[in-house]
Amino acid sequence: MLWTKIYYKKFCSFVNKQLEQKDYSTKVSTKMTSKIPNVMKAVRVNEFGGPNVLRVETDVPVPKHTETQVVIKVGSAGVNPVDTYIRMGLFANLPPLPYIPGRDGAGRVVEVGSKVQTLKPGDRVFFSGASGSYAEYVSCEAHSVFPLSNRLSFSQGAALGVPYFTAYRALFIKGGAKPAEKVLVHGASGAVGLAVTQWARANGNVVVGTAGTQQGMDLVKKNGALFVFNHREKGYLEKAAEAVGGEGFDVIIENASDINLGSDLTVIGPRARIIVVGNRGNVEISPRFLMTEEASIIGCALFRSTPAEWKETAAAVISGVETGYLVPVIDKDYQMEAVQDAHANVLSHEGGARGKLVLAISDE
């Protein structure tokens, strides 16, 4: 088909551009030999609530590592929607108060446990699944710390953990996306949506994305979607389905299932898989659509990953970055003192989502 040939040319052009990335390898830290302080600056939550409970403190004890952990001097920390759910006390597993928010980030290793063989002080790394990345230092299990490519800055490294791990799990582990299948990415201009778009494009899928602003739509198109539609416009789903042949999508990645799930069922193909990545409320659906197409609605939660799945996902992320087809897009860097604004924006997407929000903690 004509659009398949056009799509292939776009993909080749995109990859060539991504291979021309800035090299951060020359930025070697001169501070690795300095003594780690006893206290640090960090964001702490002393009670669950709105963004105003996020407070920057300067006398927080620096975390210690166990024999299987490392201590990382954090360069940038990712700001994720799940961080806000935990802060509000709405998550399934809540940390004891007070706590430091943040689950992913990037920086340099400064100390390693006695049983850690794969990392050493001075290594540039990104991490996912940690607890307390909104701080100058964080301790993390070595199996959740990975080498950060010299192609990426700390800000970009902080965008790998939750978004790209979630995207891989949704698209491949839960969605089982195969080359040539048609993939619809709802909310494709956000951090997870862009990650899914890049991965699906590289996998040979026909990618259709949605966004709520022209700037967001342009960003999704730039990152590999063949077609992009404004989800604020009436009839956009029907147009999306028609654009790829009218036979329905094979995989739908749903970032706002409480809004879109019911209408998603009207554009599914035989044995389609709808992967629920995000949800903020209840929704009413008609199961008859699922019966007719023998389709499935599948939940996706990153913390449910098995050790084998975690290892697989990490290997895929590292390979994609090194190859050049995975390139995190940063919407905005916030200083630690502006963490309340970052939390407000990660849910409201003021002006529309355009990639990842991060906290700038320290320089390269």
Side-chain angles (χ1 to χ4, degrees), residues 163-290:
Y164 280 83
F165 278 53
T166 299
Y168 184 89
R169 182 169 184 80
L171 185 64
F172 298 116
I173 295 178
K174 309 305 290 185
K178 299 178 178 60
E181 286 192 317
K182 298 181 287 292
V183 176
L184 172 65
V185 186
H186 252 136
S189 63
V192 173
L194 288 171
V196 172
T197 299
Q198 292 175 5
W199 234 318
R201 174 210 63 231
N203 190 51
N205 296 115
V206 180
V207 188
V208 178
T210 75
T213 66
Q214 186 59 52
Q215 191 174 5
M217 293 171 64
D218 292 342
L219 182 62
V220 175
K221 196 77 174 285
K222 181 181 178 181
N223 279 269
L226 181 60
F227 301 105
V228 186
F229 296 89
N230 191 326
H231 56 226
R232 302 183 191 277
E233 295 182 357
K234 186 177 180 179
Y236 78 94
L237 266 183
E238 290 77 7
K239 294 177 183 177
E242 291 171 3
V244 292
E247 297 179 354
F249 291 96
D250 300 294
V251 179
I252 298 178
I253 305 299
E254 186 50 75
N255 284 293
S257 58
D258 53 307
I259 298 173
N260 303 316
L261 189 57
S263 53
D264 286 343
L265 296 179
T266 66
V267 291
I268 53 176
R271 293 168 294 283
R273 293 85 71 197
I274 301 175
I275 313 303
V276 175
V277 174
N279 179 71
R280 298 181 194 170
N282 298 323
V283 63
E284 183 176 326
I285 67 170
S286 174
R288 185 168 298 279
F289 291 106
L290 296 171

Side-chain angles (χ1 to χ4, degrees), residues 48-114:
F48 297 115
N52 62 302
V53 303
L54 297 161
R55 301 296 175 87
V56 177
E57 301 179 7
T58 58
D59 59 350
V60 180
V62 171
K64 305 297 183 182
H65 63 78
T66 67
E67 59 186 10
T68 60
Q69 294 180 328
V70 300
V71 175
I72 299 167
K73 182 174 176 58
V74 181
S76 295
V79 179
N80 301 287
V82 68
D83 299 341
T84 69
Y85 306 150
I86 296 172
R87 185 208 71 222
M88 291 185 287
L90 301 178
F91 199 63
N93 299 311
L94 294 175
L97 295 170
Y99 78 95
I100 301 173
R103 303 164 71 86
D104 57 358
R108 287 188 184 274
V109 175
V110 292
E111 287 186 350
V112 300
S114 60

